Amino acid sequence: LVARFTPAHLAGALAEGRVSIVIAVPMAFQRMLEYSAKTGVSLKSAPLRMIATAGAPLDPGLKIRTEEGFGVPLGNSYGMTEINPIARSEKGVMDSEVGLPQPGTDIRIVGKDGEDVSPGAEGEVWARGPGQMNGYYRNPEATAKTMRPDGFIATGDIASLDDAGMLRIVGRDKEVIIHSGFNVYPVEVEAVLGLHPGVAAAAVVGRPAEGNEDVVAFVQPHPGHTLSPSELSAWALERLTPYKRPSEIRLIAQMPIGPTGKIMKVRLKEMLDDGG
């Protein structure tokens, strides 16, 4: 066991044929790809039979690059501290799919009226299963806000469930940006920006404006790749409806990453507040 993840250590273990499965958050895969591009070290390994991710949204651009870099399909999974797992795929998935509900886990997609939506429609994910919590420790108020009838937990995530049972995450209810009266889910904008060949990572946050919220995107370029906000704006212009297009795009050398490997959007909002 090692104290913490480093790209060099994992790349070495892959080269030595000591790894058959890699499961990591999306930004860990991004760091591995950056390390490979910088050093020329291959991430492909004969014993490696599966790679998978969870813990944060997976943008299509990173998915494609990861599968090319490791040479195997990338699976995606979905769960949360309160209930895990909810859904997962053992093999590759498309776009924002996170797999099928796990054995013993029930999923409902619920609209604002508290009723189940039709297949393919969007709503909040309610889930229950053997891996769920009994409640928040010494916090009955928070427990009451999260628990739903018949033992379901309200996840706060917006998703759709198709006829085949495939779950597709749209965004996080708490992160939704209200722009010009429309709901903008950051993951949708991040996915489009992430498909640009020069983008290593993208993160979208809302910025309060008079009677509105602006869509602001932070973009980390690939090492050695020159990008400009105007180039990215033109990319978004062709691929996003007007209300989803970022009003501002900021280039950032390195995304702020927390101890779990997730992008710290709180820090990005602080950068907006302090003018950084």
Side-chain angles (χ1 to χ4, degrees):
L1 296 177
V2 294
R4 61 184 302 171
F5 162 79
T6 65
H9 176 268
L10 181 52
L14 286 167
E16 295 168 6
R18 297 192 289 118
V19 179
S20 58
I21 298 174
V22 175
I23 302 175
V25 295
M27 282 307 297
F29 282 112
Q30 174 60 38
R31 289 184 60 190
M32 290 297 299
L33 295 174
E34 292 174 358
Y35 177 83
S36 177
K38 182 178 180 180
T39 63
V41 173
S42 174
L43 302 176
K44 296 178 180 178
S45 175
L48 184 64
R49 59 185 176 85
M50 190 184 89
I51 57 175
T53 189
L58 172 64
D59 76 69
L62 178 58
K63 176 184 182 295
I64 293 170
R65 296 192 300 272
T66 300
E67 291 179 331
E68 291 175 347
F70 284 82
V72 292
L74 178 64
N76 200 2
S77 301
Y78 168 62
M80 54 195 299
T81 302
E82 291 84 348
I83 175 170
N84 191 56
I86 296 176
R88 73 183 181 98
S89 63
E90 295 184 3
K91 300 180 180 179
V93 292
M94 300 297 292
D95 303 325
S96 56
E97 295 171 356
V98 291
L100 300 170
Q102 289 305 280
T105 300
D106 299 315
I107 293 178
R108 293 178 59 191
I109 307 298
V110 181
K112 295 292 186 182
D113 58 0
E115 299 295 328
D116 290 4
V117 301
S118 57
E122 297 175 2
E124 183 182 16
V125 180
W126 289 12
R128 68 180 178 188
Q132 75 182 62
M133 68 172 187
N134 291 323
Y136 294 107
Y137 182 62
R138 292 183 177 178
N139 195 338
E141 293 82 7
T143 301
K145 290 180 180 179
T146 302
M147 300 304 296
R148 295 294 183 268
D150 299 322
F152 282 89
I153 290 178
T155 67
D157 292 313
I158 306 301
S160 64
L161 194 67
D162 64 22
D163 289 320
M166 184 65 70
L167 187 65
R168 184 186 301 271
I169 302 296
V170 176
R172 185 87 179 137
D173 190 45
K174 291 182 179 179
E175 292 184 353
V176 66
I177 301 168
I178 310 298
H179 181 70
S180 299
F182 294 96
N183 289 351
V184 180
Y185 293 100
V187 66
E188 296 179 289
V189 184
E190 292 162 356
V192 169
L193 294 175
L195 286 172
H196 189 287
V199 172
V204 172
V205 297
R207 177 175 57 195
E210 187 175 350
N212 202 5
E213 276 188 289
D214 290 332
V215 179
V216 181
F218 288 83
V219 172
Q220 176 184 324
H222 280 300
H225 196 109
T226 301
L227 280 177
S228 67
S230 59
E231 178 184 355
L232 293 169
S233 293
W235 177 271
L237 181 66
E238 297 178 356
R239 294 165 176 82
L240 289 170
T241 53
Y243 69 88
K244 294 181 181 180
R245 297 169 191 160
S247 58
E248 181 181 357
I249 298 177
R250 295 193 181 191
L251 299 179
I252 185 170
Q254 183 67 52
M255 290 287 181
I257 305 298
T260 60
K262 298 181 182 181
I263 296 175
M264 300 175 65
K265 290 192 174 182
V266 171
R267 177 56 189 142
L268 295 178
K269 289 186 176 183
E270 291 173 351
M271 293 170 63
L272 292 178
D273 293 338
D274 61 23

